[in-house]
Amino acid sequence: MTPCLPLALALFGLVVGSSPALAQVAATTAPNTAALPLVIGQAGGSSSYSVPVQTLLIFTALSFLPAVLLMMTGFTRIVIVLSLLRQAMGTQAAPPNQVIVGLSLFLTMFVMGPTLDKVYSDAYKPYAANQMSFEEAVARAEAPMRQFMLKQTRQSDLSLFTRLGRLDPSVTPEQVPLRVLVPAFVTSELKSAFQIGFLIFIPFLVIDMVVASVLMSLGMMMLSPVLVALPFKLMLFVLADGWNLLLGSLAASFAV
């Protein structure tokens, strides 16, 4: 297993890593029971959820992984910028949605590499070696993610949700709960994505205006300016090495 894991795999390992406990609970369950118990007793007098209930809770927790990927990483900014690029160029389905989402995922993994390395080394690896509890592993995994989000979050957005959450004004940004930090981070990511999209639209808009003016001066009123401007947009984007500039600028826009 490589040190740089996707965030989904790291969180999946943290959740599924409790399988020894599930196996111990399964061994104490009677093999021929007519009904599945919700809670079973243990030798020390404590109680625990049965295997079917724990399995249901695990799969319920896994359903939150897409939300974690979208709301706590740079995926939101990247996928919005790439979608705005496609609209600015005027291509309806090129590149297709699958390519945009796939490229956004891999670029997100690249940007989040240092953060995921810390999650793997500080949380998942010690937890897999049974050196810490699940709660401690989650707390250690939260620290690098919180640090990454704080670096991308604007102070105005964080102050807004701190005020809406009715938190004590003396609370520092490092102490705000995730229910406040995550929406502030997403708001800042949306602002950054639309700012980058505005800069992308400008050169393509100039081409559209020039082509429309030329066609109007030539009297070609029935010819669509969008259709004529599309080859010039593609040529400009390719000659300027647009993909290199755009993806490099996106990766460099994240403060690490």
Side-chain angles (χ1 to χ4, degrees):
M1 182 178 297
T2 58
C4 182
L5 290 177
L7 178 62
L9 292 180
L11 297 179
F12 179 81
L14 288 176
V15 176
V16 181
S18 59
S19 56
L22 296 181
Q24 181 179 3
V25 175
T28 60
T29 306
N32 296 322
T33 55
L36 295 176
L38 294 180
V39 179
I40 58 177
Q42 296 180 349
S46 59
S47 60
S48 175
Y49 289 108
S50 62
V51 175
V53 176
Q54 291 190 14
T55 304
L56 176 62
L57 294 178
I58 288 176
F59 281 101
T60 303
L62 291 180
S63 64
F64 287 95
L65 286 180
V68 171
L69 177 63
L70 292 175
M71 300 291 104
M72 298 178 65
T73 65
F75 179 83
T76 302
R77 182 190 306 185
I78 297 172
V79 73
I80 290 178
V81 169
L82 294 181
S83 300
L84 291 177
L85 170 66
R86 183 174 62 180
Q87 294 183 11
M89 294 180 64
T91 55
Q92 299 297 327
N97 292 331
Q98 293 84 349
V99 175
I100 290 180
V101 174
L103 181 59
S104 301
L105 285 173
F106 278 97
L107 192 58
T108 301
M109 292 166 54
F110 174 78
V111 171
M112 299 292 297
T115 304
L116 297 181
D117 288 343
K118 292 182 181 179
V119 173
Y120 176 80
S121 60
D122 297 345
Y124 176 75
K125 196 173 181 179
Y127 177 74
N130 294 326
Q131 297 177 359
M132 66 176 60
S133 63
F134 177 76
E135 291 77 10
E136 185 179 358
V138 172
R140 287 197 179 185
E142 178 185 337
M145 298 299 302
R146 176 184 292 271
Q147 183 180 5
F148 172 80
M149 289 189 291
L150 282 175
K151 289 182 179 180
Q152 320 303 324
T153 305
R154 292 176 172 85
Q155 183 63 35
S156 59
D157 297 328
L158 188 59
S159 301
L160 170 64
F161 285 95
T162 300
R163 185 172 64 255
L164 293 178
R166 298 180 179 179
L167 299 181
D168 190 348
S170 62
V171 176
T172 61
E174 291 75 13
Q175 297 175 345
V176 296
L178 287 180
R179 64 182 177 87
V180 174
L181 178 58
V182 172
F185 168 73
V186 174
T187 305
S188 296
E189 288 295 284
L190 292 175
K191 289 182 180 179
S192 301
F194 279 101
Q195 288 176 354
I196 298 175
F198 170 76
L199 298 177
I200 292 175
F201 259 91
I202 292 178
F204 297 112
L205 181 61
V206 171
I207 295 178
D208 286 333
M209 295 174 62
V210 171
V211 171
S213 300
V214 171
L215 292 179
M216 185 176 297
S217 63
L218 294 177
M220 299 180 180
M221 308 297 296
M222 303 301 296
L223 188 59
S224 174
V226 177
L227 183 61
V228 178
L230 180 57
F232 293 99
K233 293 180 181 179
L234 296 177
M235 181 181 64
L236 174 66
F237 192 72
V238 172
L239 292 179
D241 201 3
W243 288 113
N244 193 323
L245 293 175
L246 179 62
L247 297 181
S249 301
L250 270 177
S253 65
F254 290 92
V256 294

mmCIF file of all heavy atoms in Angstrom, residues 74-85 87-88 154 157 185-202 246 250 253-254:
data_model
loop_
_atom_site.group_PDB
_atom_site.id
_atom_site.type_symbol
_atom_site.label_atom_id
_atom_site.label_comp_id
_atom_site.label_asym_id
_atom_site.label_seq_id
_atom_site.Cartn_x
_atom_site.Cartn_y
_atom_site.Cartn_z
ATOM 1 N N GLY A 74 -10.269 19.854 -2.714
ATOM 2 C CA GLY A 74 -10.271 20.831 -3.791
ATOM 3 C C GLY A 74 -11.078 20.415 -5.002
ATOM 4 O O GLY A 74 -10.999 21.081 -6.044
ATOM 5 N N PHE A 75 -11.856 19.346 -4.903
ATOM 6 C CA PHE A 75 -12.614 18.843 -6.044
ATOM 7 C C PHE A 75 -13.618 19.868 -6.544
ATOM 8 O O PHE A 75 -13.820 20.017 -7.753
ATOM 9 C CB PHE A 75 -13.328 17.542 -5.657
ATOM 10 C CG PHE A 75 -14.154 16.944 -6.761
ATOM 11 C CD1 PHE A 75 -13.571 16.160 -7.730
ATOM 12 C CD2 PHE A 75 -15.527 17.171 -6.819
ATOM 13 C CE1 PHE A 75 -14.319 15.605 -8.743
ATOM 14 C CE2 PHE A 75 -16.285 16.627 -7.824
ATOM 15 C CZ PHE A 75 -15.684 15.831 -8.795
ATOM 16 N N THR A 76 -14.261 20.590 -5.623
ATOM 17 C CA THR A 76 -15.300 21.550 -6.020
ATOM 18 C C THR A 76 -14.736 22.623 -6.937
ATOM 19 O O THR A 76 -15.298 22.917 -8.000
ATOM 20 C CB THR A 76 -15.912 22.194 -4.772
ATOM 21 O OG1 THR A 76 -16.451 21.176 -3.924
ATOM 22 C CG2 THR A 76 -17.020 23.161 -5.148
ATOM 23 N N ARG A 77 -13.624 23.229 -6.558
ATOM 24 C CA ARG A 77 -13.020 24.278 -7.379
ATOM 25 C C ARG A 77 -12.601 23.740 -8.744
ATOM 26 O O ARG A 77 -12.840 24.374 -9.771
ATOM 27 C CB ARG A 77 -11.810 24.872 -6.665
ATOM 28 C CG ARG A 77 -11.151 26.006 -7.428
ATOM 29 C CD ARG A 77 -9.818 26.406 -6.820
ATOM 30 N NE ARG A 77 -9.919 26.719 -5.402
ATOM 31 C CZ ARG A 77 -8.896 27.197 -4.683
ATOM 32 N NH1 ARG A 77 -7.721 27.414 -5.261
ATOM 33 N NH2 ARG A 77 -9.055 27.452 -3.402
ATOM 34 N N ILE A 78 -11.988 22.581 -8.775
ATOM 35 C CA ILE A 78 -11.439 22.044 -10.023
ATOM 36 C C ILE A 78 -12.540 21.698 -11.006
ATOM 37 O O ILE A 78 -12.488 22.045 -12.192
ATOM 38 C CB ILE A 78 -10.556 20.820 -9.718
ATOM 39 C CG1 ILE A 78 -9.350 21.238 -8.863
ATOM 40 C CG2 ILE A 78 -10.083 20.149 -11.002
ATOM 41 C CD1 ILE A 78 -8.529 20.082 -8.366
ATOM 42 N N VAL A 79 -13.584 21.010 -10.556
ATOM 43 C CA VAL A 79 -14.631 20.571 -11.475
ATOM 44 C C VAL A 79 -15.444 21.747 -11.990
ATOM 45 O O VAL A 79 -15.885 21.752 -13.153
ATOM 46 C CB VAL A 79 -15.531 19.518 -10.794
ATOM 47 C CG1 VAL A 79 -16.437 20.142 -9.759
ATOM 48 C CG2 VAL A 79 -16.343 18.746 -11.818
ATOM 49 N N ILE A 80 -15.630 22.788 -11.175
ATOM 50 C CA ILE A 80 -16.366 23.968 -11.641
ATOM 51 C C ILE A 80 -15.558 24.719 -12.693
ATOM 52 O O ILE A 80 -16.098 25.158 -13.720
ATOM 53 C CB ILE A 80 -16.721 24.873 -10.452
ATOM 54 C CG1 ILE A 80 -17.788 24.218 -9.574
ATOM 55 C CG2 ILE A 80 -17.228 26.231 -10.936
ATOM 56 C CD1 ILE A 80 -18.154 25.023 -8.353
ATOM 57 N N VAL A 81 -14.256 24.868 -12.475
ATOM 58 C CA VAL A 81 -13.417 25.576 -13.443
ATOM 59 C C VAL A 81 -13.385 24.830 -14.770
ATOM 60 O O VAL A 81 -13.491 25.443 -15.849
ATOM 61 C CB VAL A 81 -12.002 25.760 -12.874
ATOM 62 C CG1 VAL A 81 -11.046 26.257 -13.965
ATOM 63 C CG2 VAL A 81 -12.017 26.744 -11.713
ATOM 64 N N LEU A 82 -13.263 23.526 -14.740
ATOM 65 C CA LEU A 82 -13.236 22.760 -15.983
ATOM 66 C C LEU A 82 -14.586 22.824 -16.705
ATOM 67 O O LEU A 82 -14.636 22.872 -17.936
ATOM 68 C CB LEU A 82 -12.851 21.308 -15.701
ATOM 69 C CG LEU A 82 -11.427 21.079 -15.196
ATOM 70 C CD1 LEU A 82 -11.167 19.598 -14.968
ATOM 71 C CD2 LEU A 82 -10.399 21.643 -16.172
ATOM 72 N N SER A 83 -15.669 22.847 -15.956
ATOM 73 C CA SER A 83 -16.990 22.979 -16.582
ATOM 74 C C SER A 83 -17.171 24.356 -17.209
ATOM 75 O O SER A 83 -17.723 24.478 -18.310
ATOM 76 C CB SER A 83 -18.084 22.722 -15.536
ATOM 77 O OG SER A 83 -17.977 21.425 -14.979
ATOM 78 N N LEU A 84 -16.695 25.395 -16.528
ATOM 79 C CA LEU A 84 -16.780 26.741 -17.103
ATOM 80 C C LEU A 84 -15.893 26.875 -18.339
ATOM 81 O O LEU A 84 -16.242 27.612 -19.275
ATOM 82 C CB LEU A 84 -16.374 27.783 -16.052
ATOM 83 C CG LEU A 84 -17.341 27.967 -14.879
ATOM 84 C CD1 LEU A 84 -16.783 28.967 -13.875
ATOM 85 C CD2 LEU A 84 -18.704 28.419 -15.369
ATOM 86 N N LEU A 85 -14.774 26.189 -18.362
ATOM 87 C CA LEU A 85 -13.922 26.203 -19.554
ATOM 88 C C LEU A 85 -14.655 25.624 -20.756
ATOM 89 O O LEU A 85 -14.595 26.180 -21.865
ATOM 90 C CB LEU A 85 -12.641 25.416 -19.287
ATOM 91 C CG LEU A 85 -11.753 25.146 -20.504
ATOM 92 C CD1 LEU A 85 -11.183 26.444 -21.060
ATOM 93 C CD2 LEU A 85 -10.634 24.172 -20.154
ATOM 94 N N GLN A 87 -17.878 25.579 -21.245
ATOM 95 C CA GLN A 87 -18.897 26.531 -21.670
ATOM 96 C C GLN A 87 -18.281 27.723 -22.391
ATOM 97 O O GLN A 87 -18.857 28.243 -23.356
ATOM 98 C CB GLN A 87 -19.690 27.009 -20.454
ATOM 99 C CG GLN A 87 -20.510 25.919 -19.786
ATOM 100 C CD GLN A 87 -21.333 26.447 -18.627
ATOM 101 O OE1 GLN A 87 -21.452 27.651 -18.445
ATOM 102 N NE2 GLN A 87 -21.898 25.538 -17.835
ATOM 103 N N ALA A 88 -17.112 28.187 -21.929
ATOM 104 C CA ALA A 88 -16.471 29.325 -22.575
ATOM 105 C C ALA A 88 -16.022 28.989 -23.992
ATOM 106 O O ALA A 88 -16.100 29.831 -24.896
ATOM 107 C CB ALA A 88 -15.281 29.792 -21.741
ATOM 108 N N ARG A 154 -11.498 31.893 3.263
ATOM 109 C CA ARG A 154 -11.384 33.333 3.492
ATOM 110 C C ARG A 154 -11.874 33.681 4.895
ATOM 111 O O ARG A 154 -12.812 33.065 5.406
ATOM 112 C CB ARG A 154 -12.177 34.109 2.444
ATOM 113 C CG ARG A 154 -11.610 34.020 1.037
ATOM 114 C CD ARG A 154 -12.515 34.743 0.062
ATOM 115 N NE ARG A 154 -11.917 34.852 -1.262
ATOM 116 C CZ ARG A 154 -11.993 33.897 -2.188
ATOM 117 N NH1 ARG A 154 -12.639 32.761 -1.917
ATOM 118 N NH2 ARG A 154 -11.411 34.062 -3.360
ATOM 119 N N ASP A 157 -15.648 34.621 5.027
ATOM 120 C CA ASP A 157 -16.574 33.481 5.002
ATOM 121 C C ASP A 157 -16.599 32.764 6.339
ATOM 122 O O ASP A 157 -17.664 32.358 6.822
ATOM 123 C CB ASP A 157 -16.180 32.508 3.888
ATOM 124 C CG ASP A 157 -16.275 33.137 2.515
ATOM 125 O OD1 ASP A 157 -17.156 33.999 2.329
ATOM 126 O OD2 ASP A 157 -15.479 32.771 1.636
ATOM 127 N N PHE A 185 -15.536 26.801 4.030
ATOM 128 C CA PHE A 185 -14.564 26.348 3.032
ATOM 129 C C PHE A 185 -15.207 26.192 1.656
ATOM 130 O O PHE A 185 -14.643 26.618 0.643
ATOM 131 C CB PHE A 185 -13.958 25.012 3.501
ATOM 132 C CG PHE A 185 -13.175 24.296 2.453
ATOM 133 C CD1 PHE A 185 -11.918 24.747 2.062
ATOM 134 C CD2 PHE A 185 -13.692 23.167 1.838
ATOM 135 C CE1 PHE A 185 -11.194 24.077 1.087
ATOM 136 C CE2 PHE A 185 -12.979 22.490 0.876
ATOM 137 C CZ PHE A 185 -11.728 22.948 0.494
ATOM 138 N N VAL A 186 -16.398 25.612 1.612
ATOM 139 C CA VAL A 186 -17.073 25.431 0.324
ATOM 140 C C VAL A 186 -17.427 26.777 -0.293
ATOM 141 O O VAL A 186 -17.287 26.973 -1.508
ATOM 142 C CB VAL A 186 -18.334 24.558 0.516
ATOM 143 C CG1 VAL A 186 -19.125 24.472 -0.779
ATOM 144 C CG2 VAL A 186 -17.938 23.164 0.980
ATOM 145 N N THR A 187 -17.867 27.737 0.522
ATOM 146 C CA THR A 187 -18.176 29.062 0.001
ATOM 147 C C THR A 187 -16.943 29.728 -0.594
ATOM 148 O O THR A 187 -17.004 30.345 -1.666
ATOM 149 C CB THR A 187 -18.764 29.936 1.120
ATOM 150 O OG1 THR A 187 -19.902 29.293 1.698
ATOM 151 C CG2 THR A 187 -19.184 31.299 0.593
ATOM 152 N N SER A 188 -15.818 29.606 0.074
ATOM 153 C CA SER A 188 -14.577 30.175 -0.457
ATOM 154 C C SER A 188 -14.156 29.476 -1.747
ATOM 155 O O SER A 188 -13.652 30.129 -2.676
ATOM 156 C CB SER A 188 -13.468 30.063 0.586
ATOM 157 O OG SER A 188 -13.762 30.825 1.744
ATOM 158 N N GLU A 189 -14.370 28.165 -1.819
ATOM 159 C CA GLU A 189 -14.019 27.437 -3.034
ATOM 160 C C GLU A 189 -14.892 27.874 -4.205
ATOM 161 O O GLU A 189 -14.413 28.002 -5.340
ATOM 162 C CB GLU A 189 -14.178 25.932 -2.793
ATOM 163 C CG GLU A 189 -13.112 25.332 -1.898
ATOM 164 C CD GLU A 189 -11.730 25.396 -2.533
ATOM 165 O OE1 GLU A 189 -11.451 24.591 -3.429
ATOM 166 O OE2 GLU A 189 -10.937 26.267 -2.127
ATOM 167 N N LEU A 190 -16.170 28.114 -3.955
ATOM 168 C CA LEU A 190 -17.048 28.602 -5.019
ATOM 169 C C LEU A 190 -16.615 29.975 -5.513
ATOM 170 O O LEU A 190 -16.609 30.243 -6.724
ATOM 171 C CB LEU A 190 -18.493 28.645 -4.519
ATOM 172 C CG LEU A 190 -19.156 27.288 -4.237
ATOM 173 C CD1 LEU A 190 -20.532 27.489 -3.641
ATOM 174 C CD2 LEU A 190 -19.265 26.470 -5.514
ATOM 175 N N LYS A 191 -16.244 30.858 -4.589
ATOM 176 C CA LYS A 191 -15.766 32.178 -4.994
ATOM 177 C C LYS A 191 -14.509 32.066 -5.849
ATOM 178 O O LYS A 191 -14.384 32.724 -6.896
ATOM 179 C CB LYS A 191 -15.490 33.038 -3.759
ATOM 180 C CG LYS A 191 -16.729 33.486 -3.012
ATOM 181 C CD LYS A 191 -16.348 34.382 -1.842
ATOM 182 C CE LYS A 191 -17.590 34.848 -1.086
ATOM 183 N NZ LYS A 191 -17.232 35.716 0.085
ATOM 184 N N SER A 192 -13.559 31.250 -5.413
ATOM 185 C CA SER A 192 -12.313 31.089 -6.173
ATOM 186 C C SER A 192 -12.580 30.492 -7.544
ATOM 187 O O SER A 192 -11.974 30.909 -8.546
ATOM 188 C CB SER A 192 -11.338 30.200 -5.389
ATOM 189 O OG SER A 192 -11.031 30.756 -4.127
ATOM 190 N N ALA A 193 -13.489 29.520 -7.627
ATOM 191 C CA ALA A 193 -13.789 28.879 -8.916
ATOM 192 C C ALA A 193 -14.399 29.866 -9.895
ATOM 193 O O ALA A 193 -14.022 29.895 -11.079
ATOM 194 C CB ALA A 193 -14.717 27.682 -8.690
ATOM 195 N N PHE A 194 -15.310 30.711 -9.422
ATOM 196 C CA PHE A 194 -15.943 31.667 -10.332
ATOM 197 C C PHE A 194 -14.991 32.800 -10.716
ATOM 198 O O PHE A 194 -15.100 33.350 -11.809
ATOM 199 C CB PHE A 194 -17.216 32.223 -9.701
ATOM 200 C CG PHE A 194 -18.399 31.303 -9.829
ATOM 201 C CD1 PHE A 194 -18.799 30.507 -8.771
ATOM 202 C CD2 PHE A 194 -19.096 31.211 -11.017
ATOM 203 C CE1 PHE A 194 -19.878 29.652 -8.894
ATOM 204 C CE2 PHE A 194 -20.186 30.360 -11.146
ATOM 205 C CZ PHE A 194 -20.572 29.569 -10.091
ATOM 206 N N GLN A 195 -14.076 33.149 -9.839
ATOM 207 C CA GLN A 195 -13.068 34.139 -10.210
ATOM 208 C C GLN A 195 -12.153 33.611 -11.313
ATOM 209 O O GLN A 195 -11.844 34.327 -12.279
ATOM 210 C CB GLN A 195 -12.237 34.526 -8.982
ATOM 211 C CG GLN A 195 -12.996 35.376 -7.968
ATOM 212 C CD GLN A 195 -12.174 35.662 -6.729
ATOM 213 O OE1 GLN A 195 -11.070 35.135 -6.561
ATOM 214 N NE2 GLN A 195 -12.709 36.484 -5.840
ATOM 215 N N ILE A 196 -11.733 32.364 -11.191
ATOM 216 C CA ILE A 196 -10.904 31.767 -12.238
ATOM 217 C C ILE A 196 -11.705 31.612 -13.519
ATOM 218 O O ILE A 196 -11.194 31.853 -14.629
ATOM 219 C CB ILE A 196 -10.350 30.409 -11.758
ATOM 220 C CG1 ILE A 196 -9.460 30.601 -10.522
ATOM 221 C CG2 ILE A 196 -9.557 29.721 -12.869
ATOM 222 C CD1 ILE A 196 -8.980 29.306 -9.905
ATOM 223 N N GLY A 197 -12.984 31.224 -13.398
ATOM 224 C CA GLY A 197 -13.824 31.090 -14.585
ATOM 225 C C GLY A 197 -14.017 32.404 -15.306
ATOM 226 O O GLY A 197 -14.077 32.443 -16.547
ATOM 227 N N PHE A 198 -14.116 33.510 -14.567
ATOM 228 C CA PHE A 198 -14.240 34.831 -15.203
ATOM 229 C C PHE A 198 -13.017 35.143 -16.058
ATOM 230 O O PHE A 198 -13.132 35.643 -17.191
ATOM 231 C CB PHE A 198 -14.431 35.891 -14.121
ATOM 232 C CG PHE A 198 -14.337 37.297 -14.634
ATOM 233 C CD1 PHE A 198 -15.377 37.867 -15.353
ATOM 234 C CD2 PHE A 198 -13.191 38.053 -14.403
ATOM 235 C CE1 PHE A 198 -15.281 39.168 -15.830
ATOM 236 C CE2 PHE A 198 -13.096 39.350 -14.881
ATOM 237 C CZ PHE A 198 -14.137 39.908 -15.599
ATOM 238 N N LEU A 199 -11.831 34.860 -15.531
ATOM 239 C CA LEU A 199 -10.613 35.105 -16.295
ATOM 240 C C LEU A 199 -10.513 34.202 -17.519
ATOM 241 O O LEU A 199 -9.936 34.597 -18.544
ATOM 242 C CB LEU A 199 -9.391 34.910 -15.393
ATOM 243 C CG LEU A 199 -9.273 35.853 -14.194
ATOM 244 C CD1 LEU A 199 -8.058 35.502 -13.351
ATOM 245 C CD2 LEU A 199 -9.204 37.295 -14.665
ATOM 246 N N ILE A 200 -11.080 33.008 -17.428
ATOM 247 C CA ILE A 200 -11.050 32.094 -18.581
ATOM 248 C C ILE A 200 -11.990 32.582 -19.675
ATOM 249 O O ILE A 200 -11.695 32.462 -20.876
ATOM 250 C CB ILE A 200 -11.422 30.664 -18.119
ATOM 251 C CG1 ILE A 200 -10.325 30.101 -17.219
ATOM 252 C CG2 ILE A 200 -11.643 29.744 -19.312
ATOM 253 C CD1 ILE A 200 -10.664 28.754 -16.628
ATOM 254 N N PHE A 201 -13.116 33.158 -19.286
ATOM 255 C CA PHE A 201 -14.119 33.581 -20.263
ATOM 256 C C PHE A 201 -13.647 34.764 -21.116
ATOM 257 O O PHE A 201 -14.092 34.917 -22.259
ATOM 258 C CB PHE A 201 -15.424 33.958 -19.544
ATOM 259 C CG PHE A 201 -16.465 32.890 -19.596
ATOM 260 C CD1 PHE A 201 -16.535 31.937 -18.599
ATOM 261 C CD2 PHE A 201 -17.372 32.830 -20.641
ATOM 262 C CE1 PHE A 201 -17.497 30.942 -18.631
ATOM 263 C CE2 PHE A 201 -18.335 31.844 -20.690
ATOM 264 C CZ PHE A 201 -18.396 30.892 -19.686
ATOM 265 N N ILE A 202 -12.778 35.622 -20.581
ATOM 266 C CA ILE A 202 -12.435 36.876 -21.263
ATOM 267 C C ILE A 202 -11.853 36.658 -22.664
ATOM 268 O O ILE A 202 -12.349 37.244 -23.645
ATOM 269 C CB ILE A 202 -11.490 37.711 -20.383
ATOM 270 C CG1 ILE A 202 -12.236 38.213 -19.152
ATOM 271 C CG2 ILE A 202 -10.922 38.890 -21.171
ATOM 272 C CD1 ILE A 202 -11.377 39.011 -18.192
ATOM 273 N N LEU A 246 -3.786 25.928 -17.638
ATOM 274 C CA LEU A 246 -4.955 25.862 -16.763
ATOM 275 C C LEU A 246 -4.743 24.900 -15.604
ATOM 276 O O LEU A 246 -4.964 25.251 -14.433
ATOM 277 C CB LEU A 246 -6.182 25.463 -17.572
ATOM 278 C CG LEU A 246 -7.482 25.322 -16.777
ATOM 279 C CD1 LEU A 246 -7.875 26.655 -16.144
ATOM 280 C CD2 LEU A 246 -8.609 24.805 -17.658
ATOM 281 N N LEU A 250 -4.393 25.807 -11.710
ATOM 282 C CA LEU A 250 -5.325 25.253 -10.720
ATOM 283 C C LEU A 250 -4.582 24.589 -9.566
ATOM 284 O O LEU A 250 -4.923 24.786 -8.395
ATOM 285 C CB LEU A 250 -6.245 24.245 -11.406
ATOM 286 C CG LEU A 250 -7.561 24.771 -11.996
ATOM 287 C CD1 LEU A 250 -8.294 23.650 -12.702
ATOM 288 C CD2 LEU A 250 -8.421 25.404 -10.927
ATOM 289 N N SER A 253 -3.013 27.158 -7.351
ATOM 290 C CA SER A 253 -3.923 28.069 -6.655
ATOM 291 C C SER A 253 -4.257 27.610 -5.249
ATOM 292 O O SER A 253 -4.829 28.383 -4.474
ATOM 293 C CB SER A 253 -5.227 28.238 -7.457
ATOM 294 O OG SER A 253 -5.940 27.010 -7.526
ATOM 295 N N PHE A 254 -3.933 26.365 -4.914
ATOM 296 C CA PHE A 254 -4.222 25.851 -3.580
ATOM 297 C C PHE A 254 -3.029 26.151 -2.661
ATOM 298 O O PHE A 254 -1.888 25.796 -2.971
ATOM 299 C CB PHE A 254 -4.482 24.347 -3.602
ATOM 300 C CG PHE A 254 -5.774 23.984 -4.267
ATOM 301 C CD1 PHE A 254 -5.807 23.685 -5.621
ATOM 302 C CD2 PHE A 254 -6.953 23.939 -3.552
ATOM 303 C CE1 PHE A 254 -6.991 23.349 -6.246
ATOM 304 C CE2 PHE A 254 -8.140 23.608 -4.171
ATOM 305 C CZ PHE A 254 -8.166 23.306 -5.519
#
